[in-house]
Amino acid sequence: MSTTPYAPDLTAGSAPTSMRPALAGLNHMISAGHYLATQAGMDVLQAGGNAVDAGVAAGIALGVVQSDIVNFGGVAPILVYQAQTGQVWSISGLGYWPKAARLETFLEKHGGTIPAGVLRTVIPAAPDAWITALERFGTMSFGEVAAGAIRLARQGFVMYPLMAEVLADNAANYARWPSSAAVYLPGGKPPAAGDIFRQTDLAASIQYMADEERARQGDGRLAGLAAARRAFYEGDIAAAIVKYHEQEGGLVTHEDLRGFSVEVDPALAIDFRGTRVHSCGFWCQGPALLQMLNILEPRDLLALGHNTAPYVHLLTEAIKLAFADREAHYADPRHVAVPQEALLSKAYARERLAMIAPDRAGPDMPPAGRLPAARDIALRVAGADDMARTDPRLDTSYVAVVDKHGNAFSATPSDGSYNIPVIPGTGICASGRGSQSWAEAGHPCAIGPGRRPRLTPNPSLAIRPGQYVMPFGTPGGDVQCQAMLQTFLNIEVFGMDVQQAIEAPRFATFSFPSSFEPHNAMPGRLMIEDLVDRAVGEQLAAIGHTVKWWRDRSWRAGAMCAVRHDLVSGIRWGGADPRRPAYAAGC
């Protein structure tokens, strides 16, 4: 790789290479899943906050302006890069099952399913994750970084088409619970694009945390942050959650909430041709991206050509192999012996690469590596007309930040509001991420007290020493790692700028069990955006892939955001995906 400064082709008269330009800034850059969240983070940067302060501000704001797919009481896995030390930290941001949770309940009373509603609640982790990030790595108060979100919730924002579509499509789901209908079906119907959408209870809940913090700030910033945390996990919000669960047959207790805290650990990482790519732990699917890169590293990807049939085939087979390991081995390391070192080893990756035939699609669900043992993977096949499997749930967003000091922040907040009720009077849903556990005896991610589901949201961060630092990520359920892989390779191998890399046509396989209840699969299914030449799809079909097409740049293919800090020139480059209302901003 060249050591010359990274820059897109900005020569006069050159033809446009992307729908949007790659943005450039000398001081700060932020990219987030909604433009108002980007603005909330940018306001904090301009006020003197660092990357963590701004990332938390944007993340909380996403839980307002995308509250259909991100919840303030949801999940928020985070990576933080400290420029001064060079260390990358992971903040888990994922809750666990309440102490009263029993697998037998779901097997005997619910037929081995995890029903929508309060029974899929795990402990809300996002508030603690945001506050922990501020405590450990930030400089501002909770109230300062949450001010933008409070304003957007109280005063409202203009409803935009994608959220309006989600609310309309899920109107019957919201109507199941009066507390949800009161927020998302005002006047008995979902708000239309162009309406002003307000969430006054949510504004009051976040403001209550800020007020509790302010009452203790005389004792110092950390004491104030601790008071904000208690307001959620021990104060009025906790009381509302527990009361509702007691009334509706839920499992969450005061003890569950009071005893909760996220984990802060060194991030996992692998080396890809001199670039360190980081992930959160095996409690999420993030390490699958690292496995994919390890498998692909020995191959001359540039020689295959971008989005040619051999290239798409190779990546698809690598993805299937990594997801076979994800299904068999990934789980909460506090409860399951995950063979972490073996899964991320180069030697193991070479064994997996050797399983890929260049001229035919591999098994619909290839076997997982036996390290030293693996469960057999049975596929629950989706029906021929079940498009839900290839329409990844709108259930996540993302934010990336690099500040003037070179610190970086990468977070993937999530949790939709249409399969779990709003807690009355709070505007908050208590995390329904239990949908990513299994009601199946013997599964490594089976339901159990204190056990975490296997989370799809997974922020990433790439560092090439002396050259660049790049936080990047996307929503998209099981498509996340696939979109992140393609975008990273577009930059690292094919030399695209961040915006070109994000906008480039993508593809995704669904030949594995879904991470979401009911965990079905579409064996052999390969979805491709139709900006890829049809002849490529025909060649792939000829070697055994079941090819279907997404129209144009589809929101189903993810919504990548990335910020690349060029350490040679000092420029921060930002890109955001036009597939959804994601935007970048810098200065």
Side-chain angles (χ1 to χ4, degrees):
M1 172 174 283
S2 170
T3 58
T4 57
Y6 164 89
D9 181 5
L10 301 176
T11 55
S14 62
T17 56
S18 55
M19 297 170 66
R20 301 176 183 171
L23 301 187
L26 294 178
N27 295 302
H28 313 293
M29 184 62 65
I30 177 171
S31 182
H34 190 280
Y35 50 88
L36 291 174
T38 297
Q39 184 61 55
M42 196 64 189
D43 288 345
V44 166
L45 289 168
Q46 296 285 57
N50 68 9
V52 175
D53 300 319
V56 172
I60 296 173
L62 288 169
V64 175
V65 298
Q66 293 186 313
S67 64
D68 53 332
I69 58 176
V70 178
N71 201 272
F72 181 74
V75 300
I78 299 167
L79 293 177
V80 174
Y81 168 70
Q82 293 179 291
Q84 188 172 8
T85 65
Q87 178 72 55
V88 180
W89 295 94
S90 163
I91 301 175
S92 59
L94 170 61
Y96 43 72
W97 283 92
K99 291 182 179 180
R102 296 292 181 271
L103 174 60
E104 294 74 19
T105 301
F106 294 86
L107 293 174
E108 296 168 5
K109 294 185 178 180
H110 302 285
T113 66
I114 304 172
V118 293
L119 279 180
R120 61 175 50 177
T121 299
V122 296
I123 308 307
D128 188 49
W130 300 134
I131 292 170
T132 298
L134 293 174
E135 283 177 337
R136 292 284 298 268
F137 310 108
T139 67
M140 288 183 159
S141 70
F142 175 83
E144 287 172 318
V145 302
I150 294 169
R151 182 179 64 255
L152 289 164
R154 181 181 293 134
Q155 297 179 3
F157 61 90
V158 179
M159 180 60 62
Y160 51 96
L162 185 56
M163 183 172 179
E165 179 183 339
V166 174
L167 297 182
D169 288 348
N170 287 279
N173 289 327
Y174 286 115
R176 287 180 289 182
W177 301 291
S179 54
S180 296
V183 177
Y184 294 103
L185 304 176
K189 62 182 181 179
D195 290 350
I196 298 175
F197 182 58
R198 297 182 176 88
Q199 298 164 89
T200 54
D201 283 348
L202 179 58
S205 292
I206 304 174
Q207 184 66 61
Y208 162 65
M209 294 173 66
D211 291 343
E212 292 295 292
E213 175 188 52
R214 187 179 300 111
R216 289 297 308 275
Q217 278 186 325
D219 298 326
R221 190 177 78 93
L222 295 182
L225 290 169
R229 177 187 284 109
R230 286 194 300 273
F232 187 96
Y233 291 95
E234 300 181 42
D236 292 352
I237 298 173
I241 293 172
V242 172
K243 179 181 178 181
Y244 189 70
H245 270 245
E246 289 174 343
Q247 293 172 345
E248 300 297 320
L251 305 174
V252 176
T253 68
H254 281 291
E255 183 183 5
D256 290 317
L257 292 166
R258 186 169 53 247
F260 178 77
S261 63
V262 297
E263 296 179 339
V264 182
D265 298 296
L268 300 180
I270 56 97
D271 181 278
F272 181 84
R273 303 178 184 176
T275 299
R276 297 286 287 173
V277 183
H278 298 79
S279 167
C280 295
F282 280 88
W283 43 265
C284 75
Q285 69 168 333
L289 173 62
L290 309 187
Q291 285 196 253
M292 294 170 195
L293 289 169
N294 274 346
I295 293 169
L296 295 168
E297 185 180 33
R299 295 297 301 274
D300 188 346
L301 302 174
L302 186 62
L304 291 177
H306 184 257
N307 279 355
T308 62
Y311 180 79
V312 175
H313 168 69
L314 176 62
L315 265 63
T316 298
E317 295 303 306
I319 291 165
K320 287 160 63 175
L321 287 165
F323 279 173
D325 282 333
R326 184 189 72 166
E327 175 66 15
H329 297 295
Y330 289 26
D332 187 342
R334 300 179 309 176
H335 294 269
V336 175
V338 180
Q340 302 186 34
E341 291 186 11
L343 286 167
L344 296 182
S345 73
K346 299 292 187 181
Y348 178 66
R350 288 192 294 271
E351 294 176 10
R352 302 298 269 168
L353 176 60
M355 298 173 64
I356 299 176
D359 56 353
R360 68 180 185 278
D364 295 328
M365 185 75 263
R370 299 192 174 275
L371 301 170
R375 60 191 296 274
D376 292 331
I377 301 170
L379 295 186
R380 182 183 299 169
V381 179
D385 298 324
D386 182 6
M387 291 305 294
R389 182 67 181 92
T390 53
D391 288 358
R393 300 189 183 198
L394 277 163
D395 185 10
T396 304
S397 195
Y398 177 75
V399 55
V401 191
V402 175
D403 65 24
K404 63 184 178 182
H405 305 292
N407 304 305
F409 182 92
S410 182
T412 314
S414 189
D415 279 3
S417 55
Y418 44 81
N419 277 319
I420 194 161
V422 171
I423 303 299
T426 69
I428 296 168
C429 295
S431 179
R433 192 50 61 165
S435 63
Q436 293 196 314
S437 290
W438 269 254
E440 178 183 325
H443 195 286
C445 298
I447 296 165
R451 297 171 69 104
R452 291 175 288 187
R454 192 191 73 210
L455 187 65
T456 45
N458 69 108
S460 193
L461 197 149
I463 300 173
R464 192 167 183 90
Q467 294 191 32
Y468 74 80
V469 173
M470 184 176 71
F472 65 104
T474 181
D478 291 317
V479 170
Q480 287 181 37
C481 288
Q482 304 188 58
M484 293 160 72
L485 173 71
Q486 293 168 67
T487 302
F488 175 78
L489 294 177
N490 290 346
I491 296 170
E492 190 79 359
V493 174
F494 295 99
M496 300 182 195
D497 71 47
V498 289
Q499 191 63 36
Q500 293 169 336
I502 286 169
E503 292 188 18
R506 295 201 283 263
F507 53 89
T509 174
F510 294 86
S511 193
F512 49 83
S514 169
S515 292
F516 290 93
E517 177 74 17
H519 306 298
N520 55 15
M522 300 195 82
R525 177 62 59 88
L526 178 60
M527 301 298 299
I528 308 175
E529 290 184 322
D530 64 9
L531 298 174
V532 174
D533 194 294
R534 287 275 171 169
V536 170
E538 292 169 1
Q539 295 172 54
L540 291 163
I543 62 173
H545 296 281
T546 304
V547 175
K548 301 291 182 181
W549 297 90
W550 280 322
R551 185 176 178 182
D552 198 15
R553 292 179 178 87
S554 173
W555 62 259
R556 298 163 178 84
M560 288 292 308
C561 293
V563 174
R564 176 175 166 136
H565 179 201
D566 184 340
L567 300 176
V568 180
S569 68
I571 298 171
R572 285 90 168 140
W573 297 96
D577 208 323
R579 292 171 176 85
R580 301 195 195 178
Y583 274 83
C587 69

